[in-house]
Amino acid sequence: MALIGLIVTGAVYKLPYYAFRPGSVRDTGRLISVEGQETYPSQGSISYTTVSLGQVTFFKLLAGWIDDDVDIEPQDKVLQGRNSDENKRVNLQLMDTSQQVATQVALEELGYDVPVHIKGQTVLRVKEDFPADGVLDQGDTIVAIGGEPLDDLQDLDRLMGDKHPGDTVDLTVRPFTETPAADEHLSMTLAASPDDANKGVMGVEIVPSGVEFEFPFQVSFDTGEVGGPSAGLAFTLGLIDELTPGELTGGEDVAVTGTINSDGSVGPIGGAGQKAAAVRDAGMDVFLVPSLDYQAAKAHAGDVKVIKVDTLDEALAALAELGGNGLALPALGPEQPAGGA
């Protein structure tokens, strides 16, 4: 009986660990809806990738340790002080924001003017051993720096552009909580950027918060309960493909991951190895990934061709090498012809 009890416990009792497993590969063309503008079907496809995340039992923990395509992480690192419902809400919010930014970037690439207003910059990820580590959490929103509100997409770069290592910045932060909380006022001494020793940084990756876009027509994405921002680049490319005649991928089925920023830059994602394994198992031929995730993706991609990109322009160029028309996109909007984000 004791043995049976141990077996049942090992199979049912949840441990404070989470398993990151290969998830799904989903065609964006089936998820994007456009109203008031002509769309064009494509022979090829642009898919985004997901990771399956779940709390583990003892037996699943052992299985995860054995499986090279599974990563096991402590609960505290995954939830960052939130419960599972709060974590889900943060990720759904990040997914919603990434869809809107992806729409903005795609439409601007095609010549449309998209006015944008924001209510701050939300922390997507805090980098270990940087000044923000232990001070800011994922989901917190920086609403002002030095008393100046962040209500424009360029405000953060403007206010931080001349900061150096050792400089102190005063932040107004709206904490991520289940119920509304008062803004907090924090000070932080900046560290040197890994890319530029003269540039002071907090050590955070951010996305705009409370974004209000003035789109010329309605675009929606049917992603259900999938959360997180890592499908941003895939949505940008998928929408461009929907709105333009011809083949953006040259008729190939391409998987894509990476966040998208309003300036067209592509950011790193989590679970690159698991996403690459999902792409491999789905039989895809090509996988576009941010350069910082290239090695992890390559290690799990099998025979899939992994291409690293850090901007929308680089992604369009990579697809053009496959035979796509991304370097000769038509100008659809009233602005100057497209050709570079």
Side-chain angles (χ1 to χ4, degrees), residues 27-314:
D27 182 0
T28 62
R30 300 179 181 181
L31 307 175
I32 298 174
S33 298
V34 178
E35 295 184 15
Q37 186 73 14
E38 187 174 3
T39 58
Y40 303 87
S42 299
Q43 293 183 356
S45 65
I46 296 170
S47 297
Y48 79 94
T49 60
T50 70
V51 169
S52 175
L53 176 65
Q55 194 171 1
V56 298
T57 62
F58 177 74
F59 291 146
K60 288 184 177 181
L61 180 68
L62 293 179
W65 281 337
I66 296 171
D67 191 336
D68 289 339
D69 289 333
V70 177
D71 285 340
I72 303 294
E73 298 288 354
Q75 176 176 290
D76 291 345
K77 183 176 180 180
V78 175
L79 299 183
Q80 298 188 27
R82 297 183 295 271
N83 60 42
S84 58
D85 289 339
E86 290 171 336
N87 194 60
K88 180 178 180 180
R89 187 158 66 88
V90 167
N91 281 291
L92 289 175
Q93 174 187 328
L94 293 174
M95 168 64 87
D96 180 69
T97 299
S98 74
Q99 291 171 357
Q100 296 188 70
V101 174
T103 301
Q104 174 211 355
V105 174
L107 295 187
E108 289 181 345
E109 180 70 20
L110 296 175
Y112 290 98
D113 178 33
V114 182
V116 184
H117 311 283
I118 67 172
K119 297 180 180 179
Q121 296 279 1
T122 295
V123 176
L124 172 63
R125 183 176 297 121
V126 179
K127 299 179 181 179
E128 292 184 5
D129 300 324
F130 275 82
D133 191 7
V135 178
L136 297 175
D137 293 316
Q138 182 186 44
D140 289 348
T141 298
I142 304 171
V143 298
I145 294 179
E148 292 195 47
L150 302 183
D151 53 16
D152 184 271
L153 288 172
Q154 308 307 319
D155 284 342
L156 186 66
D157 288 339
R158 176 176 61 83
L159 295 172
M160 293 292 294
D162 62 350
K163 301 298 183 184
H164 301 285
D167 288 350
T168 298
V169 293
D170 296 320
L171 308 177
T172 304
V173 177
R174 185 161 300 143
F176 175 78
T177 57
E178 190 69 35
T179 57
D183 291 348
E184 297 179 353
H185 298 279
L186 309 171
S187 292
M188 189 180 302
T189 301
L190 303 178
S193 167
D195 303 318
D196 183 350
N198 294 317
K199 181 180 180 181
V201 296
M202 293 182 277
V204 293
E205 295 171 19
I206 49 89
V207 292
S209 175
V211 189
E212 296 179 359
F213 296 86
E214 298 179 31
F215 295 129
F217 47 84
Q218 183 174 340
V219 177
S220 58
F221 301 82
D222 182 14
T223 53
E225 294 296 300
V226 177
S230 64
L233 176 60
F235 290 146
T236 301
L237 294 170
L239 182 55
I240 290 174
D241 202 21
E242 286 287 305
L243 292 173
T244 56
E247 294 290 329
L248 192 64
T249 70
E252 299 286 341
D253 294 325
V254 177
V256 180
T257 193
T259 64
I260 192 71
N261 299 312
S262 291
D263 62 358
S265 61
V266 175
I269 50 88
Q274 288 72 42
K275 290 174 181 178
V279 170
R280 178 199 69 208
D281 294 345
M284 309 291 284
D285 294 324
V286 178
F287 189 25
L288 302 188
V289 304
S291 62
L292 290 177
D293 296 303
Y294 176 80
Q295 294 299 334
K298 186 69 175 174
H300 295 263
D303 294 332
V304 178
K305 182 179 182 181
V306 182
I307 303 174
K308 51 186 174 183
V309 298
D310 287 317
T311 66
L312 174 60
D313 283 349
E314 290 180 6

Side-chain angles (χ1 to χ4, degrees), residues 315-326:
L316 292 173
L319 295 180
E321 291 187 4
L322 301 177
N325 62 353

